[in-house]
Amino acid sequence: MLKAGIIGCGSIGRRHAKGYLDAGRYELAAIADPRAEVLDELDERFGARPSYTGRRYSDAADMLDAEDLDVVSVCVWHGGHAPWTMEAARRGAAAVVCEKPMAASLAEAKQMLDVCGEQNTKLIISHQRRFLPAYNLAKRMIADGAIGGVQLVRCFSDDGLLNWASHLVDMIRYVLDDECEWVMGSVERTTDRYERGLRVEDRAVCTLGFKGGATALLLSGLDPGYHQGGVFYGGEGIIDLTPERLRLLDGSAGGWKEYAPDGAFSSPGPEWNEYVEGFAAQAVELADCVDGKTDTHRGEATHGYKALEICMAVYESALRHRRIELPLPPSGHPLDELVESGHVPVLEPGRYDIRARPFEG
């Protein structure tokens, strides 16, 4: 059994905890959070599980010093992703699973890659939907030519590019198995809005150009029907994808065909929970990496870096008023420059964080 620890035990930390325990390959040995009530909730939820030890720490540094952990999940707010990832790597963790977005800037993300490389620590960014059966079926169908060459992808998001939309950007890269070459974007921010400590926009229009010829359109904050997944338009058909299922429209008779593939840990239906499947499957594949059964992981940090880079390029495009070619040089947060330079002045003062509202899910 691999020994896992979690830094930050709120709603996302609880999902990581359940993923480790459901995977059957880990002892959840230690948990760290300054809020005693959050640690109490983790104990209450998982204390009866045989592989839950859950030694408690109010300071994550104390946990990293005291525990000989194989895997550490970093589930704190965004500004803590880089510092705690690098601390875990320097204290000997074989692998770190860091929540998305990878970091608060590309410069920090590059530093994370460098430090984890120096320490021989496997770094995973938790875009866990890469492990959903419907996403992987769509990926295979597109690779097999089920809808011909993909020409357009359309997605709807909300609550900030580095929040929801980072998952969608990663999904497009993953399902297409292709690289984004350029980005053009427009950003609206009239309120002083933050998401887990980072500035975020109110709305954004993002156009992404891919090497294979596809163009992706991502609208954030502009449509009430936002959701994970998207619609892939090919020369010979359409795939409409959600975390639970996909619908295929091709040249055969009968109209739309629906697929809802089972996962290893959950089955689509009335009790479907994509997080159960995603986090447990992510943990299983990581255990295989740490145990030497495989050299690759679907969530390896280069993918998380590229998802962050694309989101940052949208802000950069809005700042520079032009199309942005990738890759970007590692630097700070372009949205900060947009605001502080007066490009998007705050018209409705009053700083607020959208995660201050009650959040479960």
Side-chain angles (χ1 to χ4, degrees):
M1 298 279 279
L2 298 172
K3 292 178 66 175
I6 297 175
I7 300 174
C9 298
S11 59
I12 294 297
R14 292 194 293 271
R15 290 172 182 164
H16 282 247
K18 181 171 172 53
Y20 287 130
L21 295 170
D22 287 350
R25 305 275 293 276
Y26 298 84
E27 173 197 356
L28 184 50
I31 54 177
D33 198 291
R35 301 162 296 174
E37 67 275 14
V38 172
L39 299 177
D40 290 342
E41 184 170 355
L42 217 64
D43 285 342
E44 184 177 331
R45 288 193 182 207
F46 303 117
R49 302 279 288 264
S51 53
Y52 179 84
T53 306
R55 290 180 288 277
R56 298 164 55 126
Y57 295 86
S58 60
D59 188 328
D62 292 340
M63 180 183 81
L64 295 174
D65 284 337
E67 302 283 346
D68 183 20
L69 298 172
D70 299 299
V71 176
V72 176
S73 273
V74 176
C75 303
V76 297
W77 281 24
H78 309 327
H81 288 182
W84 285 118
T85 292
M86 293 187 289
E87 283 298 317
R90 289 171 176 143
R91 310 292 179 89
V96 175
V97 182
C98 178
E99 262 302 316
K100 60 80 198 162
M102 183 174 177
S105 70
L106 284 177
E108 285 188 354
K110 177 64 164 56
Q111 191 177 9
M112 293 163 70
L113 290 172
D114 291 344
V115 169
C116 288
E118 292 163 4
Q119 300 298 323
N120 199 29
T121 298
K122 189 80 172 177
L123 177 56
I124 304 304
I125 306 303
S126 189
H127 287 292
Q128 76 284 346
R129 290 182 179 87
R130 285 176 167 247
F131 296 86
L132 297 182
Y135 278 33
N136 284 284
L137 178 57
K139 181 180 178 71
R140 291 192 299 272
M141 283 181 170
I142 287 172
D144 291 343
I147 60 172
V150 176
Q151 300 170 357
L152 176 67
V153 184
R154 189 186 66 184
C155 303
F156 296 96
S157 186
D158 200 10
D159 284 354
L161 295 182
L162 298 186
N163 182 28
W164 269 63
S166 65
H167 278 306
L168 289 165
V169 167
D170 183 73
M171 173 209 68
I172 297 166
R173 289 189 65 252
Y174 180 64
V175 173
L176 291 182
D177 193 20
D178 200 0
E179 294 297 338
C180 184
E181 293 187 317
W182 58 265
V183 174
M184 194 161 185
S186 179
V187 169
E188 174 188 320
R189 187 180 188 270
T190 61
T191 69
D192 200 10
R193 190 184 205 212
Y194 286 71
E195 190 268 322
R196 282 181 278 204
L198 287 187
R199 280 190 177 107
V200 291
E201 75 290 346
D202 298 323
R203 299 178 181 89
V205 176
C206 320
T207 307
L208 318 178
F210 284 83
K211 185 176 180 180
T215 300
L217 178 64
L218 193 159
L219 304 178
S220 182
L222 288 157
D223 191 291
Y226 65 90
H227 58 85
Q228 294 293 335
V231 183
F232 295 75
Y233 298 90
E236 299 174 18
I238 302 170
I239 287 176
D240 179 11
L241 178 63
T242 74
E244 181 178 4
R245 55 100 185 118
L246 69 82
R247 297 191 304 149
L248 171 67
L249 182 65
D250 58 14
S252 61
W256 288 96
K257 296 184 281 290
E258 186 161 326
Y259 302 81
D262 287 340
F265 299 91
S266 57
S267 298
E271 301 301 319
W272 166 255
N273 186 334
E274 62 173 283
Y275 301 106
V276 171
E277 184 66 31
F279 283 103
Q282 175 177 264
V284 168
E285 191 161 291
L286 182 58
D288 286 342
C289 284
V290 174
D291 288 341
K293 295 179 181 178
T294 180
D295 295 327
T296 61
H297 189 279
R298 272 171 274 184
E300 64 182 31
T302 52
H303 299 303
Y305 184 94
K306 289 178 179 180
L308 177 64
E309 179 182 51
I310 290 168
C311 292
M312 291 299 191
V314 175
Y315 298 137
E316 191 74 20
S317 176
L319 179 64
R320 307 300 173 197
H321 307 291
R322 60 178 172 83
R323 189 174 84 166
I324 299 298
E325 308 295 327
L326 299 180
L328 279 179
S331 61
H333 191 349
L335 183 57
D336 287 343
E337 190 175 348
L338 269 167
V339 175
E340 292 161 12
S341 67
H343 276 71
V344 285
V346 174
L347 302 179
E348 302 168 60
R351 173 172 172 165
Y352 68 102
D353 197 298
I354 62 175
R355 290 296 181 178
R357 67 177 184 253
F359 174 72
E360 286 294 334

